Amino acid sequence: MRITCPYCGERDRREFYYRGAATDLDRPAPDAGEEAWENFVFLRENPAGVTRDLWYHEGGCGAWVVVTRNTVTHEVLETRLASEARS
Amino acid sequence: MDKLIAKNPCEGLLPLTIGSVTLTEEEPGVMTALAPYKGKEKDLSAALKAAHGMAYPAPNRATGKAGSRAVWFGHGQAMLMGPAPDASLAEHATVVDQSDAWAVVWIEGEGVEDVLARLVPVDLRPAHFKRGHTVRSLLFHMTASITRVGDRAFQIMVFRSMAETLVHDLKTAMEGVAARG
């Protein structure tokens, strides 16, 4: 698997650390209520298809990258810097 | 206190020549991490140019020359190598002294790309990776900064604590390439 880092270009997967679903970028407000927080902390989608996750370019430039990919075809559809990619 | 003895990171390990490739330790002088404040990259670049004669490097690039170099060092930072940082830089960036924290080596000679190809998952051949290009990538299992500094020469930096591992890994790769003749 190859991931294109917005800074470094296409790199081997071994340079990246997988964090998880990109929902981390959509942190609810402190007073958003129990349901929103339960969703944010515990509940994750498990799609057969397009998913967005956070990867860290650990063995490279140190940027957090939002990767949009397809779990069925293994295609990587888009990569963006997490610092620029609020959904 | 007794007089302390200065020791280089690769003391007793280098220099080393195997086949056509030579590995030597580089004494980089003062090393300073520069992390520009939000939106201040252009101002920092101007200050860097005025004080030390090189621009702030774009991603994957190094500016300056031997003895006075700025190397892109990842997301939002560059490493100034050589001169002590001018006070004006601190207006536009976080300035952190990292002297002695990095092991810096030069590897050069015919076939040096073949040696690095055994360790680094990035194409470093001259057609793709020219003088003044730099990458943050892996060298075997370590994160490293690799910069082309000549036609057949690279500068490699890893954490100082990894100096012995760096020399070991490069030596093994150099022996492998040399053995193929």
Side-chain angles (χ1 to χ4, degrees):
Chain A
M1 183 170 161
R2 310 274 289 175
I3 295 174
T4 302
C5 169
Y7 283 124
C8 305
E10 193 186 287
R11 292 292 182 89
D12 195 89
R13 180 254 176 274
R14 88 188 84 157
E15 291 188 5
F16 294 84
Y17 162 83
Y18 176 70
R19 155 80 194 178
T23 46
D24 282 8
L25 297 174
D26 305 311
R27 190 182 175 84
D31 58 356
E34 271 181 26
E35 200 185 324
W37 274 98
E38 191 191 353
N39 265 329
F40 176 71
V41 176
F42 297 113
L43 301 182
R44 291 290 174 273
E45 299 292 331
N46 183 22
V50 176
T51 183
R52 286 172 80 233
D53 19 64
L54 275 174
W55 295 73
Y56 178 52
H57 198 188
E58 184 181 34
C61 67
W64 282 94
V65 182
V66 179
V67 178
T68 308
R69 66 190 176 96
N70 190 315
T71 57
V72 177
T73 63
H74 303 301
E75 263 176 297
V76 173
L77 303 165
E78 193 201 15
T79 53
R80 299 181 65 188
L81 288 177
S83 55
E84 294 170 2
R86 294 265 168 190
S87 65
Chain B
M1 193 195 283
D2 281 337
K3 196 162 175 265
L4 299 177
I5 302 163
K7 234 182 140 187
N8 288 332
C10 300
E11 188 109 6
L13 302 170
L14 296 178
L16 192 67
T17 299
I18 298 171
S20 57
V21 179
T22 299
L23 184 62
T24 48
E25 179 159 32
E26 168 81 354
E27 282 193 50
V30 179
M31 290 183 73
T32 312
L34 304 173
Y37 296 131
K38 221 171 191 175
K40 292 284 185 184
E41 209 172 281
K42 275 191 180 150
D43 295 339
L44 174 65
S45 191
L48 202 56
K49 216 168 216 168
H52 303 299
M54 86 280 276
Y56 183 80
N60 305 306
R61 294 290 182 273
T63 55
K65 53 184 189 303
S68 179
R69 215 186 281 279
V71 180
W72 180 77
F73 222 63
H75 180 53
Q77 58 171 314
M79 188 71 83
L80 178 65
M81 305 175 67
D86 191 78
S88 64
L89 303 182
E91 288 170 38
H92 314 294
T94 305
V95 176
V96 182
D97 182 16
Q98 297 203 4
S99 305
D100 302 321
W102 295 84
V104 185
V105 299
W106 274 49
I107 186 165
E108 57 187 312
E110 183 82 40
V112 63
E113 287 92 356
D114 298 335
V115 171
L116 293 178
R118 294 187 169 223
L119 301 167
V120 182
V122 175
D123 189 352
L124 297 176
R125 289 175 298 178
H128 299 269
F129 194 74
K130 300 178 167 63
R131 191 193 288 245
H133 289 202
T134 188
V135 286
R136 291 300 310 264
S137 184
L138 296 174
L139 192 137
F140 207 32
H141 295 148
M142 289 177 285
T143 61
S145 159
I146 302 166
T147 308
R148 184 184 282 275
V149 289
D151 290 341
R152 289 172 187 160
F154 294 86
Q155 172 190 274
I156 301 173
M157 290 191 262
V158 301
F159 294 136
R160 184 191 179 112
S161 59
M162 293 291 162
E164 209 170 326
T165 308
L166 173 71
V167 173
H168 174 262
D169 292 348
L170 286 171
K171 182 170 178 249
T172 306
M174 286 157 75
E175 285 168 348
V177 170
R180 292 181 67 90

